[in-house]
Amino acid sequence: MLDLTPDMKLFSLRLQDPAVAESLHYEVGQFALVSVFGVGEAAFDISSLDAPRAALEFAVRRVGTLTEALHEMEEGSVVGVRGPFGNCFPMAEYEGRNLVVIGGGSGMAPLRSVVNYVVQPARRERFGQLLILNGARTPADLAFKHEFEKWASSPQTCLELTVDRGDDDWRGRVALIPDVVRELKPSPLDCVAIVCGPPIMIKFTLKALKDLGFADSQLVGTVETKMKCGIGKCGRCNVGDKYVCLDGPVFTFAEIGRFLEEF
Ligand code: FES
């Protein structure tokens, strides 16, 4: 368990059954359902990489009863986990292209595995330039600080941080993410932009990217919504005519349009 921000923790789950742990395979962007016994179950994006695999990691913000219960747990506690479910970021398709990864607040959680996948030295040269734009309300709310140095020192990689409100120690940028996008002007040429965060931030960030010439098919997001079964049976997770648990959670703007701005 690692404190990422005042209200967000990184949980590392070790599977109890070695055979299941050995056979587990998941892709960047997939999610799993985590249950706290006696409290309930909720979907969380898997924030770790499949290999090298030490544990299954989830970055969880304290926002309700179940996440509250998770945050109160002691090291070594037992939870249930089902998955992996859903589609993934098509990382092989992104090879050879530039990537812009934009996370607002806890929206950086599902994007952490994208960044860590690309910056792995063994595969870094398969991708073009990587721009990571990580924004939060305050410096304390910036998640994954322990990985910033690794990200920023990766070749052809630029890490930009921004906050809505600085503090006495903050010497960085104080600006909203869409304004930073307008300032940095990433080129849409051979580029994919992956955006995740609060709906209002997504809405204006997508607009800024579109104004720069990004096409709907170049804009990718991951949808967080209430899920129950995770396997396309209960109908709880539909977005338009799609089920997030089966067709998502990763979608392009071309696929689900304005719904990407609403989750
Ligand atoms: S969670 Fe049941 S259909 Fe998607």
Side-chain angles (χ1 to χ4, degrees), residues 4 30 40 60 64 76 88 95 100 144 182 203 235 244:
L4 294 173
Q30 287 196 290
V60 179
C88 59
E95 290 188 7
V100 176
F144 307 113
R182 270 187 218 96
K203 180 180 167 112
V244 175

Side-chain angles (χ1 to χ4, degrees), residues 163-198:
V163 295
D164 300 347
R165 201 172 61 248
D167 60 22
D168 291 346
D169 298 324
W170 181 251
R171 300 284 172 270
R173 201 181 246 115
V174 178
L176 298 174
I177 286 177
D179 293 335
V180 180
V181 170
R182 270 187 218 96
E183 178 198 328
L184 297 175
K185 296 186 178 51
S187 167
L189 202 65
D190 217 2
C191 185
V192 174
I194 305 174
V195 185
C196 196

Side-chain angles (χ1 to χ4, degrees), residues 31 33 226-238 243-246:
F31 69 92
L33 288 156
K226 289 231 181 301
M227 287 195 235
K228 194 169 177 191
C229 69
I231 51 172
K233 299 275 185 221
C234 72
R236 282 274 295 269
C237 67
N238 72 302
Y243 283 152
V244 175
C245 67
L246 290 183

Side-chain angles (χ1 to χ4, degrees), residues 40-64:
E41 186 181 56
F44 298 103
D45 294 295
I46 302 170
S47 194
S48 47
L49 291 178
D50 192 31
R53 188 193 316 144
L56 206 52
E57 293 180 335
F58 301 91
V60 179
R61 200 168 136 240
R62 189 194 289 254
V63 286

Side-chain angles (χ1 to χ4, degrees), residues 15-232:
L15 298 178
Q16 288 182 329
D17 184 334
V20 175
E22 191 55 38
S23 62
L24 178 71
H25 176 69
Y26 57 92
E27 303 283 348
V28 176
Q30 287 196 290
F31 69 92
L33 288 156
V34 176
S35 53
V36 178
F37 305 123
V39 179
E41 186 181 56
F44 298 103
D45 294 295
I46 302 170
S47 194
S48 47
L49 291 178
D50 192 31
R53 188 193 316 144
L56 206 52
E57 293 180 335
F58 301 91
V60 179
R61 200 168 136 240
R62 189 194 289 254
V63 286
T65 313
L66 186 120
T67 55
E68 182 82 41
L70 273 173
H71 273 241
E72 294 305 318
M73 283 185 150
E74 304 283 339
E75 289 279 352
S77 300
V78 177
V79 296
V81 60
R82 294 194 290 133
F85 296 125
N87 69 353
C88 59
F89 290 102
M91 300 307 295
E93 277 178 29
Y94 297 163
E95 290 188 7
R97 307 179 76 179
N98 300 322
L99 288 174
V100 176
V101 175
I102 304 175
S106 59
M108 201 62 209
L111 306 185
R112 176 201 185 211
S113 51
V114 174
V115 172
N116 281 336
Y117 183 94
V118 174
V119 302
Q120 271 203 352
R123 61 165 75 92
R124 180 65 191 89
E125 64 183 20
R126 294 190 214 158
F127 297 88
Q129 292 175 356
L130 171 64
L131 168 62
I132 308 159
L133 174 51
N134 187 6
R137 280 171 304 172
T138 69
D141 294 312
L142 285 166
F144 307 113
K145 294 184 188 76
H146 64 295
E147 295 186 299
F148 285 175
E149 200 178 316
K150 176 178 74 179
W151 295 355
S153 62
S154 179
Q156 289 201 84
T157 300
C158 179
L159 171 64
E160 297 282 348
L161 304 174
T162 186
V163 295
D164 300 347
R165 201 172 61 248
D167 60 22
D168 291 346
D169 298 324
W170 181 251
R171 300 284 172 270
R173 201 181 246 115
V174 178
L176 298 174
I177 286 177
D179 293 335
V180 180
V181 170
R182 270 187 218 96
E183 178 198 328
L184 297 175
K185 296 186 178 51
S187 167
L189 202 65
D190 217 2
C191 185
V192 174
I194 305 174
V195 185
C196 196
I200 193 79
M201 169 241 147
I202 293 185
K203 180 180 167 112
F204 288 103
T205 302
L206 292 179
K207 176 163 188 342
L209 289 165
K210 284 184 183 193
D211 289 347
L212 289 169
F214 280 79
D216 289 355
S217 59
Q218 292 175 279
L219 301 171
V220 182
T222 176
V223 168
E224 272 183 36
T225 187
K226 289 231 181 301
M227 287 195 235
K228 194 169 177 191
C229 69
I231 51 172

